[in-house]
Amino acid sequence: MATQQRKFFVGGNWKCNSSRAEVDKLCAGLNGSLPLPDAAEVVVAPPFVYIDRAHAALKPYFAVSAQNCWTKKGAFTGEVAPEMLKDIGINWAILGHSERRHVIGEKDELIAEKAKVALAAGLSVMYCIGELEKERVENRTNEVLATQMAALAKAITDWSHVVIAYEPVWAIGTGRTATPEQAQEAHLFVRQWMKEHVSAEVSNATRILYGGSVSPANCDVLASLPDVDGFLVGGASLDASKFVPIIKSVKAKL
Protein backbone atom coordinates (compact mmCIF):
# COMPACT_ATOMS: atom_id res chain seq x y z
CA MET A 1 0.00 0.00 0.00
CA ALA A 2 1.16 3.55 -0.70
CA THR A 3 2.37 5.01 2.57
CA GLN A 4 4.05 8.22 3.63
CA GLN A 5 7.18 6.52 2.38
CA ARG A 6 5.57 6.19 -1.06
CA LYS A 7 3.85 9.49 -1.74
CA PHE A 8 1.01 9.26 -4.25
CA PHE A 9 2.23 10.43 -7.66
CA VAL A 10 0.32 11.64 -10.71
CA GLY A 11 2.18 12.31 -13.95
CA GLY A 12 0.61 13.94 -16.98
CA ASN A 13 2.19 13.10 -20.33
CA TRP A 14 1.01 15.66 -22.89
CA LYS A 15 2.86 13.77 -25.66
CA CYS A 16 3.00 15.49 -29.09
CA ASN A 17 -0.02 17.71 -28.47
CA SER A 18 -0.95 21.33 -27.76
CA SER A 19 -0.27 24.80 -29.11
CA ARG A 20 0.79 27.93 -27.22
CA ALA A 21 -2.86 28.84 -26.71
CA GLU A 22 -3.76 25.32 -25.55
CA VAL A 23 -0.81 25.22 -23.15
CA ASP A 24 -1.86 28.55 -21.67
CA LYS A 25 -5.46 27.35 -21.27
CA LEU A 26 -4.40 24.06 -19.67
CA CYS A 27 -1.99 25.75 -17.28
CA ALA A 28 -4.67 28.27 -16.31
CA GLY A 29 -7.11 25.42 -15.68
CA LEU A 30 -4.64 23.55 -13.50
CA ASN A 31 -3.72 26.67 -11.53
CA GLY A 32 -7.40 27.46 -11.11
CA SER A 33 -8.00 24.04 -9.56
CA LEU A 34 -5.79 24.81 -6.57
CA PRO A 35 -5.67 24.03 -3.74
CA LEU A 36 -5.19 20.33 -4.42
CA PRO A 37 -4.17 17.60 -1.95
CA ASP A 38 -0.66 17.96 -0.55
CA ALA A 39 -0.64 14.16 -0.28
CA ALA A 40 -0.17 13.95 -4.05
CA GLU A 41 2.94 14.80 -6.06
CA VAL A 42 2.00 16.05 -9.54
CA VAL A 43 4.34 16.31 -12.52
CA VAL A 44 3.33 17.25 -16.08
CA ALA A 45 5.34 16.68 -19.24
CA PRO A 46 4.73 19.16 -22.08
CA PRO A 47 6.34 18.86 -25.52
CA PHE A 48 9.89 20.26 -25.58
CA VAL A 49 8.92 23.44 -27.45
CA TYR A 50 6.43 24.37 -24.71
CA ILE A 51 8.27 23.08 -21.68
CA ASP A 52 9.69 26.46 -20.63
CA ARG A 53 6.32 28.13 -21.23
CA ALA A 54 4.47 25.64 -19.06
CA HIS A 55 7.15 25.75 -16.38
CA ALA A 56 6.84 29.53 -16.16
CA ALA A 57 3.03 29.48 -16.14
CA LEU A 58 2.30 26.73 -13.62
CA LYS A 59 2.11 27.28 -9.88
CA PRO A 60 4.82 25.51 -7.80
CA TYR A 61 2.41 22.69 -6.87
CA PHE A 62 2.93 21.33 -10.40
CA ALA A 63 6.41 20.14 -11.32
CA VAL A 64 7.39 19.89 -14.98
CA SER A 65 9.08 16.99 -16.75
CA ALA A 66 10.64 16.33 -20.12
CA GLN A 67 9.18 13.49 -22.17
CA ASN A 68 12.62 12.20 -23.12
CA CYS A 69 16.30 13.10 -23.03
CA TRP A 70 19.58 11.97 -24.56
CA THR A 71 22.76 10.73 -22.91
CA LYS A 72 25.05 13.75 -23.41
CA LYS A 73 25.62 17.07 -25.09
CA GLY A 74 27.31 17.23 -28.47
CA ALA A 75 26.70 16.40 -32.12
CA PHE A 76 23.32 14.71 -31.62
CA THR A 77 20.90 16.52 -33.89
CA GLY A 78 17.40 16.79 -32.52
CA GLU A 79 18.27 15.59 -29.02
CA VAL A 80 18.17 17.29 -25.61
CA ALA A 81 20.73 16.57 -22.88
CA PRO A 82 19.86 16.26 -19.17
CA GLU A 83 22.12 19.21 -18.37
CA MET A 84 20.02 21.41 -20.67
CA LEU A 85 16.87 20.44 -18.80
CA LYS A 86 18.47 21.22 -15.45
CA ASP A 87 19.62 24.56 -16.85
CA ILE A 88 16.01 25.66 -17.36
CA GLY A 89 14.81 24.32 -14.03
CA ILE A 90 13.38 20.98 -15.16
CA ASN A 91 13.93 18.15 -12.68
CA TRP A 92 12.14 15.17 -14.27
CA ALA A 93 12.29 13.07 -17.43
CA ILE A 94 10.04 10.31 -18.74
CA LEU A 95 12.16 7.53 -20.23
CA GLY A 96 11.23 4.33 -22.02
CA HIS A 97 7.63 5.20 -22.84
CA SER A 98 6.11 2.57 -25.12
CA GLU A 99 5.98 5.01 -28.03
CA ARG A 100 9.74 5.49 -27.68
CA ARG A 101 10.24 1.73 -27.44
CA HIS A 102 7.87 0.50 -30.14
CA VAL A 103 7.53 3.45 -32.56
CA ILE A 104 11.00 5.01 -32.33
CA GLY A 105 12.68 1.66 -31.67
CA GLU A 106 14.63 2.38 -28.48
CA LYS A 107 16.04 -0.72 -26.80
CA ASP A 108 16.19 -1.59 -23.11
CA GLU A 109 19.93 -0.92 -22.89
CA LEU A 110 19.68 2.57 -24.38
CA ILE A 111 16.77 3.50 -22.14
CA ALA A 112 18.65 2.28 -19.08
CA GLU A 113 21.73 4.26 -20.12
CA LYS A 114 19.56 7.36 -20.52
CA ALA A 115 18.24 6.79 -17.01
CA LYS A 116 21.74 6.39 -15.61
CA VAL A 117 22.91 9.64 -17.20
CA ALA A 118 19.75 11.56 -16.29
CA LEU A 119 20.04 10.52 -12.66
CA ALA A 120 23.72 11.47 -12.58
CA ALA A 121 22.79 14.91 -13.91
CA GLY A 122 20.33 15.39 -11.06
CA LEU A 123 17.07 14.55 -12.80
CA SER A 124 14.42 12.24 -11.39
CA VAL A 125 13.17 9.60 -13.80
CA MET A 126 9.83 8.04 -14.66
CA TYR A 127 10.97 4.72 -16.14
CA CYS A 128 8.23 3.14 -18.25
CA ILE A 129 7.72 -0.58 -18.70
CA GLY A 130 4.93 -2.67 -20.18
CA GLU A 131 3.96 -5.53 -22.45
CA LEU A 132 2.43 -5.66 -25.92
CA GLU A 133 -0.97 -7.31 -26.33
CA LYS A 134 0.66 -10.26 -28.12
CA GLU A 135 3.01 -10.75 -25.16
CA ARG A 136 0.12 -10.73 -22.70
CA VAL A 137 -1.84 -13.26 -24.78
CA GLU A 138 1.27 -15.47 -24.82
CA ASN A 139 1.48 -15.19 -20.99
CA ARG A 140 4.85 -13.41 -21.28
CA THR A 141 3.94 -10.27 -19.31
CA ASN A 142 6.17 -11.07 -16.34
CA GLU A 143 9.05 -12.08 -18.60
CA VAL A 144 8.86 -8.76 -20.46
CA LEU A 145 8.62 -6.70 -17.29
CA ALA A 146 11.54 -8.58 -15.73
CA THR A 147 13.72 -7.95 -18.79
CA GLN A 148 12.91 -4.24 -18.81
CA MET A 149 13.56 -3.94 -15.08
CA ALA A 150 16.80 -5.93 -15.30
CA ALA A 151 18.21 -3.46 -17.83
CA LEU A 152 17.63 -0.63 -15.38
CA ALA A 153 19.00 -2.56 -12.41
CA LYS A 154 22.19 -3.27 -14.37
CA ALA A 155 22.69 0.43 -15.10
CA ILE A 156 21.92 2.14 -11.76
CA THR A 157 22.52 1.64 -8.06
CA ASP A 158 20.60 4.58 -6.55
CA TRP A 159 16.84 4.15 -6.92
CA SER A 160 15.80 7.06 -4.71
CA HIS A 161 14.91 9.29 -7.67
CA VAL A 162 13.23 6.63 -9.82
CA VAL A 163 9.51 6.10 -10.30
CA ILE A 164 8.37 3.04 -12.28
CA ALA A 165 5.40 3.43 -14.62
CA TYR A 166 3.71 0.20 -15.65
CA GLU A 167 1.80 0.82 -18.87
CA PRO A 168 0.35 -2.18 -20.72
CA VAL A 169 0.91 -1.09 -24.32
CA TRP A 170 -2.46 -2.45 -25.42
CA ALA A 171 -4.22 -0.06 -23.02
CA ILE A 172 -2.42 3.16 -23.95
CA GLY A 173 -4.70 5.55 -25.81
CA THR A 174 -7.12 2.77 -26.72
CA GLY A 175 -9.81 3.36 -24.13
CA ARG A 176 -9.08 -0.13 -22.81
CA THR A 177 -7.83 -0.30 -19.25
CA ALA A 178 -6.26 -3.20 -17.44
CA THR A 179 -8.69 -4.68 -14.96
CA PRO A 180 -7.90 -3.91 -11.33
CA GLU A 181 -6.79 -7.53 -10.97
CA GLN A 182 -4.42 -7.26 -13.96
CA ALA A 183 -2.99 -3.97 -12.73
CA GLN A 184 -2.40 -5.20 -9.17
CA GLU A 185 -0.88 -8.44 -10.42
CA ALA A 186 1.64 -6.61 -12.61
CA HIS A 187 2.51 -4.06 -9.92
CA LEU A 188 2.97 -6.76 -7.31
CA PHE A 189 5.22 -8.69 -9.69
CA VAL A 190 7.42 -5.63 -10.25
CA ARG A 191 7.61 -4.93 -6.51
CA GLN A 192 8.56 -8.53 -5.75
CA TRP A 193 11.11 -8.46 -8.60
CA MET A 194 12.78 -5.44 -7.00
CA LYS A 195 12.80 -7.17 -3.63
CA GLU A 196 14.51 -10.24 -5.08
CA HIS A 197 16.92 -8.52 -7.49
CA VAL A 198 17.61 -5.12 -5.91
CA SER A 199 16.63 -4.93 -2.23
CA ALA A 200 13.65 -5.01 0.08
CA GLU A 201 14.29 -1.34 0.90
CA VAL A 202 14.08 -0.31 -2.75
CA SER A 203 11.02 -2.50 -3.27
CA ASN A 204 9.20 -0.88 -0.37
CA ALA A 205 10.19 2.68 -1.24
CA THR A 206 9.85 2.80 -5.03
CA ARG A 207 6.59 4.11 -6.40
CA ILE A 208 4.94 2.10 -9.18
CA LEU A 209 2.43 4.00 -11.31
CA TYR A 210 -0.28 2.63 -13.56
CA GLY A 211 -0.77 4.08 -17.04
CA GLY A 212 -3.18 3.12 -19.79
CA SER A 213 -6.43 4.99 -20.46
CA VAL A 214 -6.64 6.30 -16.89
CA SER A 215 -9.74 8.47 -16.48
CA PRO A 216 -11.96 10.03 -13.79
CA ALA A 217 -14.22 7.01 -14.21
CA ASN A 218 -11.64 4.37 -13.24
CA CYS A 219 -9.00 6.21 -11.19
CA ASP A 220 -10.60 5.71 -7.75
CA VAL A 221 -10.77 1.94 -8.10
CA LEU A 222 -7.23 1.72 -9.48
CA ALA A 223 -5.87 4.06 -6.79
CA SER A 224 -7.30 1.80 -4.09
CA LEU A 225 -5.08 -1.10 -5.17
CA PRO A 226 -2.33 -1.80 -2.63
CA ASP A 227 0.61 -1.69 -5.05
CA VAL A 228 -0.61 1.15 -7.29
CA ASP A 229 1.11 4.33 -6.07
CA GLY A 230 -0.40 6.69 -8.63
CA PHE A 231 -0.73 7.19 -12.36
CA LEU A 232 0.98 8.26 -15.55
CA VAL A 233 -1.86 9.83 -17.48
CA GLY A 234 -2.00 10.47 -21.23
CA GLY A 235 -5.07 11.89 -22.94
CA ALA A 236 -6.89 12.88 -19.76
CA SER A 237 -3.94 15.06 -18.72
CA LEU A 238 -4.73 17.45 -21.60
CA ASP A 239 -7.99 18.50 -19.94
CA ALA A 240 -7.85 20.00 -16.46
CA SER A 241 -11.44 18.93 -15.77
CA LYS A 242 -10.38 15.30 -16.28
CA PHE A 243 -6.88 15.47 -14.82
CA VAL A 244 -7.84 17.11 -11.53
CA PRO A 245 -10.22 14.29 -10.44
CA ILE A 246 -7.38 11.85 -11.08
CA ILE A 247 -5.14 13.86 -8.76
CA LYS A 248 -7.91 13.82 -6.16
CA SER A 249 -8.06 10.01 -6.32
CA VAL A 250 -5.27 10.18 -3.74
CA LYS A 251 -8.16 10.08 -1.26
CA ALA A 252 -8.19 6.30 -1.78
CA LYS A 253 -4.84 6.17 0.04
CA LEU A 254 -5.72 8.39 2.97
Side-chain angles (χ1 to χ4, degrees):
M1 178 176 290
T3 65
Q4 288 184 338
Q5 186 181 29
R6 299 204 305 264
K7 187 174 184 178
F8 196 77
F9 186 104
V10 180
N13 182 7
W14 299 0
K15 304 190 180 183
C16 190
N17 292 297
S18 299
S19 63
R20 287 184 299 174
E22 288 168 339
V23 167
D24 292 347
K25 179 181 178 182
L26 179 51
C27 290
L30 292 173
N31 288 337
S33 71
L34 295 170
L36 288 168
D38 289 334
E41 180 175 4
V42 183
V43 182
V44 298
F48 277 128
V49 293
Y50 303 127
I51 199 169
D52 220 0
R53 189 180 190 93
H55 187 227
L58 287 167
K59 299 290 187 182
Y61 179 86
F62 303 98
V64 176
S65 172
Q67 297 178 15
N68 182 43
C69 67
W70 192 239
T71 55
K72 55 187 173 183
K73 289 184 177 180
F76 304 103
T77 301
E79 294 294 344
V80 174
E83 296 85 354
M84 296 174 178
L85 297 172
K86 290 293 293 183
D87 187 48
I88 61 169
I90 303 304
N91 294 314
W92 283 90
I94 298 172
L95 297 174
H97 192 278
S98 69
E99 291 144 9
R100 302 295 308 181
R101 291 178 182 272
H102 300 295
V103 178
I104 306 300
E106 293 184 358
K107 303 300 183 184
D108 293 335
E109 293 74 18
L110 173 61
I111 298 163
E113 178 65 17
K114 286 184 175 186
K116 176 183 177 180
V117 172
L119 292 166
L123 293 177
S124 294
V125 169
M126 286 176 259
Y127 181 81
C128 301
I129 60 175
E131 81 284 3
L132 297 167
E133 183 168 28
K134 180 176 184 290
E135 292 165 338
R136 174 162 283 275
V137 170
E138 294 172 349
N139 293 316
R140 294 178 54 216
T141 296
N142 290 354
E143 173 191 340
V144 171
L145 300 183
T147 298
Q148 293 167 341
M149 289 296 296
L152 182 62
K154 184 177 180 181
I156 71 170
T157 55
D158 184 357
W159 292 71
S160 60
H161 295 282
V162 175
V163 173
I164 304 299
Y166 167 65
E167 298 191 298
V169 180
W170 47 271
I172 299 173
T174 64
R176 299 167 59 194
T177 307
T179 66
E181 293 76 16
Q182 289 171 326
Q184 170 58 22
E185 181 181 42
H187 282 233
L188 180 58
F189 172 80
V190 173
R191 198 169 304 287
Q192 290 177 331
W193 188 95
M194 287 190 288
K195 182 177 181 180
E196 293 176 14
H197 298 277
V198 185
S199 72
E201 180 182 7
V202 166
S203 173
N204 290 332
T206 300
R207 291 173 289 185
I208 307 174
L209 315 180
Y210 173 78
S213 298
V214 178
S215 72
N218 59 33
C219 61
D220 288 342
V221 171
L222 291 166
S224 71
L225 300 172
D227 287 290
V228 172
D229 302 312
F231 303 110
L232 182 54
V233 185
S237 70
L238 296 169
D239 183 337
S241 70
K242 295 179 180 177
F243 192 54
V244 167
I246 296 172
I247 298 170
K248 292 180 177 179
S249 69
V250 66
K251 63 183 180 290
K253 299 298 191 187
L254 301 178

